[in-house]
Amino acid sequence: MEELQAMKMAAEQEMTMQKQTYEDRLRSLEGTLADTNEKVSEQLEQKEQEAHERISELEKRNQKLEDETIAQRHIIELEKLKTQKEYEELSIQSSRLMHELEQEKLKLEGDIDLLQSNQEKRH
């Protein structure tokens, strides 16, 4: 019986040691899991922060490009209006010049007719 009692105690001690080893291993794995989760969470937060910063940077660049585009369109519109005005002024000047040339032509034709008529009267 004593032998049976000793074997029972040895078995209980073995089970207690195995239980302790199992619990230690379990705590170690839980700690590793917690550390891994924390690292992953930190990496995720860092990636999210980087993504937000990149989005913000791209939005600023986009706004700058939109502003530049609006400014360039305005400049182009002003140049277009200036060119149209210059064309209209040149067109008006050309019309005046053509009218003056036509008047001068008519006057010269009249002068030529008068000279020819005077010359015919003399002969």
Side-chain angles (χ1 to χ4, degrees), residues 53-69:
E53 289 172 2
R54 182 70 174 146
I55 289 169
S56 177
E57 176 187 330
L58 290 173
E59 286 174 344
K60 287 177 186 176
R61 288 175 64 189
N62 187 45
Q63 185 61 48
K64 182 179 177 184
L65 290 173
E66 286 178 5
D67 292 346
E68 288 176 6
T69 301

Side-chain angles (χ1 to χ4, degrees), residues 48-107:
E48 286 178 0
Q49 181 64 30
E50 289 172 0
H52 287 297
E53 289 172 2
R54 182 70 174 146
I55 289 169
S56 177
E57 176 187 330
L58 290 173
E59 286 174 344
K60 287 177 186 176
R61 288 175 64 189
N62 187 45
Q63 185 61 48
K64 182 179 177 184
L65 290 173
E66 286 178 5
D67 292 346
E68 288 176 6
T69 301
I70 290 169
Q72 289 298 321
R73 284 182 182 159
H74 182 68
I75 289 170
I76 290 169
E77 186 63 28
L78 290 176
E79 287 294 323
K80 177 183 168 189
L81 292 173
K82 178 182 172 188
T83 302
Q84 285 176 338
K85 184 177 179 182
E86 289 172 352
Y87 175 77
E88 289 170 1
E89 289 174 1
L90 284 174
S91 184
I92 291 170
Q93 288 175 353
S94 294
S95 294
R96 280 189 204 143
L97 183 58
M98 291 301 289
H99 179 71
E100 289 174 13
L101 287 172
E102 187 65 32
Q103 293 297 319
E104 188 66 26
K105 177 184 167 192
L106 292 174
K107 182 181 177 248

Side-chain angles (χ1 to χ4, degrees), residues 11-27:
E12 285 179 4
Q13 283 180 345
E14 179 66 27
M15 286 185 68
T16 301
M17 286 177 44
Q18 286 180 357
K19 179 182 175 187
Q20 186 64 41
T21 301
Y22 169 76
E23 289 174 350
D24 290 345
R25 178 72 178 141
L26 183 60
R27 279 191 291 277

